[in-house]
Amino acid sequence: MEVTALRIKLLMIVMLMCHERDQKVYAVSLRIDPNTAQFFQYESLTFYCEGVSYCEVVHAPKRKVPTCNKTNRRTSTGSSCTITNVFPADSGKYWFEGGSGERSNSVNIFVTDGSVILEIPALPVMEGEAVTLTCRNKTTSSHTSAHFYHYGDLIGISSTGNIIIHNVSKSDEGLYKCSISGAGESAESRLIVRDGQTETVTSSFKDMSTTSSKERVASSSSSTPWIVVPVILLVLLVLVGLVYFFKGFSGKENKDRDNVEPASTSTTTYALVTKDRKMEVSESVESTSSSTTDYAVVRKNRKKQRSAVSGPSAGTNSS
């Protein structure tokens, strides 16, 4: 019973730590609207800071966005910050920090003054979802024929300017770009596919691919302690269980040994008692023999007395 109670307590501790870890990871999050990694110059975008009352977005390297002071708004789940006109200098990574110092996920955007952009999700997508990629021409709003590339390899041609990746999987991750005949080619942006258990980081364009790799390494390193802690607790749980198991097994052996020893003692005592009874029987026999002998002596003496009595009588008769 004690072993079972201890295991339940350790399991509850692990579950609570994992729950706290999930709360820390997902307590604050950053979204972007529209959810695309590339923008034309002078377009606007809005950052949504979930879990905080004031959206103070930081633009790498640790430079606060001044327009957030004027456009900050409260939302039902947090707050928002709008940048009305973006410029190529606004390209890069964005994030914010919560009130307790926890850091949100990062979002990378790319702003160009060119003629073609690829509209691709800036935030990670879930496995199994359908992802739409759109190639946009700055000079025209109508759909035009476009070529789409994955790591430089042509994956499709669309007359409408967009393609849909159905049932997206981890194999669909990577750098994408598009081109429009007579207009030009877009920058490369990275599509990130998440399986629901790992944190991912979106890289916006080819020049930032090295930075995004560092981000993924940093994210993996930061999550490593939370992986190690449950493993250590699990090992301790197994060790404690083994200790109690062997302790219980040893106690059982000692108990069995104690149960066996009194049986052997009683057997020995019984043998001694039997021996004593034999001695008493022999003593009784000896006692009986002695009494019989005495009785024989008495009878012998009585015979002698009868002989003595009969002697004088004979003398009288003879006279």
Side-chain angles (χ1 to χ4, degrees):
M1 293 294 293
E2 293 180 358
V3 177
T4 304
L6 182 60
R7 290 177 179 175
I8 293 174
K9 288 181 180 179
L10 290 176
L11 182 59
M12 291 177 64
I13 292 173
V14 173
M15 293 175 65
L16 287 174
M17 293 187 68
C18 291
H19 179 65
E20 291 177 359
R21 182 253 180 184
D22 291 338
Q23 286 184 332
K24 290 181 179 179
V25 172
Y26 299 106
V28 295
S29 62
L30 179 65
R31 295 189 297 107
I32 186 173
D33 183 39
N35 182 18
T36 179
Q38 296 186 16
F39 294 87
F40 286 123
Q41 185 176 246
Y42 304 122
E43 289 186 327
S44 65
L45 60 88
T46 301
F47 289 109
Y48 288 91
C49 302
E50 307 294 346
V52 294
S53 59
Y54 186 83
C55 188
E56 192 171 35
V57 180
V58 178
H59 182 205
K62 295 185 177 181
R63 180 169 59 88
K64 295 181 180 180
V65 179
T67 56
C68 284
N69 295 330
K70 300 177 181 180
T71 61
N72 219 288
R73 298 288 186 274
R74 290 294 300 270
T75 65
S76 59
T77 57
S79 56
S80 66
C81 164
T82 301
I83 303 177
T84 54
N85 294 292
V86 293
F87 298 90
D90 295 320
S91 299
K93 181 176 66 173
Y94 292 81
W95 75 89
F96 74 92
E97 293 184 355
S100 301
E102 64 272 31
R103 181 169 168 172
S104 72
N105 59 297
S106 60
V107 175
N108 288 284
I109 65 171
F110 174 69
V111 182
T112 180
D113 56 0
S115 300
V116 179
I117 64 171
L118 173 66
E119 290 185 344
I120 185 172
L123 298 172
V125 298
M126 300 293 292
E127 281 187 312
E129 292 182 346
V131 179
T132 301
L133 306 181
T134 302
C135 199
R136 282 179 58 198
N137 188 345
K138 184 178 181 179
T139 60
T140 178
S141 59
S142 61
H143 297 293
T144 57
S145 178
H147 294 67
F148 294 87
Y149 303 87
H150 182 214
Y151 283 119
D153 297 329
L154 181 65
I155 59 172
I157 302 174
S158 172
S159 60
T160 60
N162 60 71
I163 62 172
I164 300 176
I165 305 175
H166 296 280
N167 194 24
V168 68
S169 64
K170 297 291 286 185
S171 62
D172 296 315
E173 281 189 329
L175 296 173
Y176 289 83
K177 67 179 181 178
C178 69
S179 65
I180 297 175
S181 179
E185 187 177 81
S186 73
E188 285 188 317
S189 289
R190 183 177 296 276
L191 176 68
I192 299 296
V193 180
R194 186 170 63 186
D195 59 4
Q197 297 180 353
T198 57
E199 292 296 317
T200 53
V201 180
T202 305
S203 176
S204 299
F205 51 94
K206 186 175 181 180
D207 293 340
M208 296 180 62
S209 60
T210 303
T211 303
S212 64
S213 299
K214 292 180 180 179
E215 291 170 3
R216 289 193 299 274
V217 172
S219 177
S220 176
S221 300
S222 62
S223 62
T224 299
W226 294 105
I227 299 174
V228 173
V229 169
V231 172
I232 293 176
L233 289 175
L234 181 61
V235 172
L236 290 175
L237 177 62
V238 173
L239 291 176
V240 171
L242 290 174
V243 169
Y244 274 87
F245 173 79
F246 285 111
K247 184 177 179 180
F249 182 78
S250 177
K252 184 178 180 181
E253 285 188 339
N254 294 334
K255 186 176 180 180
D256 293 341
R257 191 180 298 113
D258 293 339
N259 292 335
V260 170
E261 288 178 358
S264 60
T265 304
S266 63
T267 303
T268 305
T269 304
Y270 178 76
L272 291 173
V273 171
T274 303
K275 185 176 181 181
D276 293 339
R277 291 176 63 186
K278 289 181 179 180
M279 292 176 66
E280 290 176 358
V281 171
S282 62
E283 290 177 359
S284 300
V285 172
E286 290 177 359
S287 176
T288 305
S289 301
S290 300
S291 62
T292 304
T293 304
D294 293 341
Y295 179 73
V297 171
V298 171
R299 292 177 64 184
K300 185 176 181 181
N301 292 336
R302 291 176 64 184
K303 288 180 180 180
K304 288 181 179 181
Q305 290 176 358
R306 289 179 180 177
S307 299
V309 171
S310 60
S313 300
T316 306
N317 294 329
S318 61
S319 58

